């Protein structure tokens, strides 16, 4: 079968399975199977596929037709211009999380040798993007999932950042309770409430790790302890920066006791949806008479 015929029948098959952007998905999977780029697909429409290529392409299409995200099939996702490996043990890094990286880089300007910790590191995308940009930073990445940490460590090695980013298993910040004085606690925690499961895309519900997505009834079961433990981990004047869900702005700001936190900032994403909340640990707690 010729490449153009394989592509055309793949598009039909994905369309019939109700997969969004069927052409893009058919191309991504064919590029993956053949180990070529998009330009090659367009330059060689008449290239014959071998029987083995055809059968591998069919396998990936069958997986995609079940709703499995293409990133779990190809094992890759780009984030912050870097190539990350992903598996079903980690959340697929999202473009909107780059707002969190941008926010931290902005706040870190002028801070020499900043010490940062990324809580719920997953693939390691935030910790590694920050370490890539901040060459003098000391970076930690924590996750409750050992399987996720394996992927994060593999990504650190591929990006040659393994000597500068330290990964450890931890429930929120508990494992680092003796490493204090952070300049930044950064996190894209799970923040979907169980009650909101029906608002989450089916592919997320069915294929991404449950503990990477859901956090209790209202979505606050990780952010709550995070705010509390971040206060202890940060140096005075240090920053907490957290990605939030589309309707969580007020609930998260409500967790930031104004006697402990100041300079609260909310950063919107490109659609104007509040995406990041950042707050600075007060240097001195104001005296408030009872
Ligand atoms: C939304 S994902 C974010 C992954 C990655 N940082 C990203 O932005 O793509 C949340 C991560 O938090 C981890 N996690 C969930 N509960 C946790 C907890 N109590 N302590 C530490 N990590 C937790 C999950 O395993 C998951 O990797």
């Amino acid at each position: 079968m010729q490449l153009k015929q394989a592509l055309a029948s793949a598009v039909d098959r994905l369309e019939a399975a109700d997969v969004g952007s069927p052409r893009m998905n058919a191309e991504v999977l064919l590029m993956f199977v053949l180990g070529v780029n998009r330009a090659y697909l367009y330059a060689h429409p008449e290239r014959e596929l071998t029987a083995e290529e055809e059968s591998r392409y069919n396998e990936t299409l069958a997986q995609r037709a079940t709703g499995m995200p293409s990133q779990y099939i190809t094992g890759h996702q780009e984030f912050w211009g870097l190539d990350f490996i992903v598996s079903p043990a980690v959340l697929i890094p999202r473009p909107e999380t780059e707002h969190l990286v941008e926010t931290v880089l902005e706040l870190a300007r002028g801070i020499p040798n900043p010490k940062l910790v990324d809580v719920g590191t997953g693939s390691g995308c935030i910790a590694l993007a920050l370490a890539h940009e901040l060459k003098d930073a000391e970076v930690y990445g924590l996750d409750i999932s050992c399987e996720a940490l394996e992927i994060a460590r593999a990504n650190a090695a591929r990006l040659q950042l393994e000597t500068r980013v330290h990964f450890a298993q931890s429930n929120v910040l508990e494992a680092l309770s003796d490493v204090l004085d952070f300049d930044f606690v950064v996190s894209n925690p799970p923040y979907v409430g169980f009650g909101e499961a029906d608002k989450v895309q089916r592919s997320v519900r069915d294929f991404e790790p449950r503990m990477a997505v859901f956090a209790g009834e209202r979505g606050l079961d990780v952010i709550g302890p995070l705010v509390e433990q971040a206060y202890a981990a940060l140096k005075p004047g240090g920053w907490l920066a957290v990605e939030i869900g589309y309707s969580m702005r007020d609930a998260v700001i409500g967790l930031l006791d104004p006697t402990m936190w100041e300079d609260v900032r909310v950063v919107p994403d490109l659609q104007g949806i509040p995406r990041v909340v950042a707050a600075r640990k007060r240097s001195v707690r104001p005296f408030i008479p009872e």
Side-chain angles (χ1 to χ4, degrees):
M1 184 188 274
Q2 288 184 338
L3 190 154
K4 65 178 176 198
Q5 293 161 330
L7 255 183
S9 84
V11 172
D12 290 346
R13 183 168 173 184
L14 294 179
E15 222 158 33
D18 222 9
V19 171
S21 311
R23 171 130 209 128
M24 195 265 289
N25 275 285
E27 289 182 358
V28 163
L29 295 175
L30 189 53
M31 291 189 290
F32 167 65
V33 166
L34 300 182
V36 300
N37 60 21
R38 186 166 274 112
Y40 182 97
L41 297 188
Y42 287 95
H44 303 278
E46 267 129 49
R47 135 97 137 93
E48 287 289 334
L49 265 57
T50 65
E52 201 216 324
E53 285 166 347
E54 243 182 86
S55 131
R56 282 182 42 225
Y57 192 35
N58 273 328
E59 250 170 64
T60 63
L61 291 168
Q63 286 178 303
R64 189 67 189 91
T66 67
M68 179 182 279
S70 60
Q71 294 92 334
Y72 288 151
I73 302 170
T74 63
H76 290 264
Q77 171 64 32
E78 187 192 308
F79 179 83
W80 201 257
L82 304 170
D83 178 44
F84 285 88
I85 52 170
V86 293
S87 82
V90 298
L91 189 94
I92 298 163
R94 305 293 205 270
E96 54 269 26
T97 302
E98 295 187 346
H99 291 292
L100 179 59
V101 174
E102 259 164 22
T103 303
V104 173
L105 290 178
E106 184 97 344
L107 295 171
R109 231 184 262 158
I111 301 179
N113 308 109
K115 197 159 124 186
L116 303 93
V117 55
D118 169 27
V119 181
T121 198
S123 61
C125 60
I126 298 170
L128 294 167
L130 289 170
H132 177 77
E133 295 297 326
L134 302 167
K135 308 285 183 217
D136 61 344
E138 183 182 344
V139 182
Y140 292 79
L142 306 178
D143 207 288
I144 200 162
S145 156
C146 292
E147 292 80 14
L149 288 165
E150 271 181 39
I151 301 289
R153 289 194 179 101
N155 278 318
R158 293 179 83 237
L159 296 168
Q160 298 180 336
L161 290 167
E162 71 272 35
T163 54
R164 292 187 36 228
V165 184
H166 318 285
F167 291 106
Q169 190 189 16
S170 179
N171 182 14
V172 194
L173 276 153
E174 283 168 13
L176 285 191
S177 54
D178 53 342
V179 188
L180 298 175
D181 285 338
F182 280 98
D183 295 285
F184 290 90
V185 172
V186 182
S187 184
N188 173 19
Y191 52 64
V192 180
F194 295 141
E196 302 168 313
D198 56 339
K199 295 194 190 115
V200 172
Q201 276 183 332
R202 204 194 80 194
S203 66
V204 175
R205 259 198 335 258
D206 292 352
F207 292 96
E208 305 215 41
R210 200 173 160 71
M211 78 173 116
V213 177
F214 294 100
E217 211 42 54
R218 295 176 53 225
L220 293 171
D221 280 15
V222 178
I223 295 188
L226 175 68
V227 168
E228 230 179 272
Q229 294 174 29
Y231 186 81
L234 286 167
K235 60 171 67 156
W239 287 92
L240 168 66
V242 186
E243 177 169 328
I244 59 165
Y246 70 97
S247 60
M248 294 181 74
R249 179 185 178 278
D250 293 344
V252 173
I253 291 177
L255 296 172
L256 298 165
D257 178 341
T259 70
M260 300 161 82
W261 301 95
E262 61 186 351
D263 209 350
V264 176
R265 301 171 185 201
V266 179
V267 182
D269 64 18
L270 297 175
Q271 293 166 300
I273 298 167
R275 185 54 70 183
V276 177
V277 170
R280 189 198 275 266
K281 175 176 170 171
R282 280 188 184 276
S283 300
V284 183
R285 280 184 85 167
F287 173 71
I288 298 174
E290 304 250 325

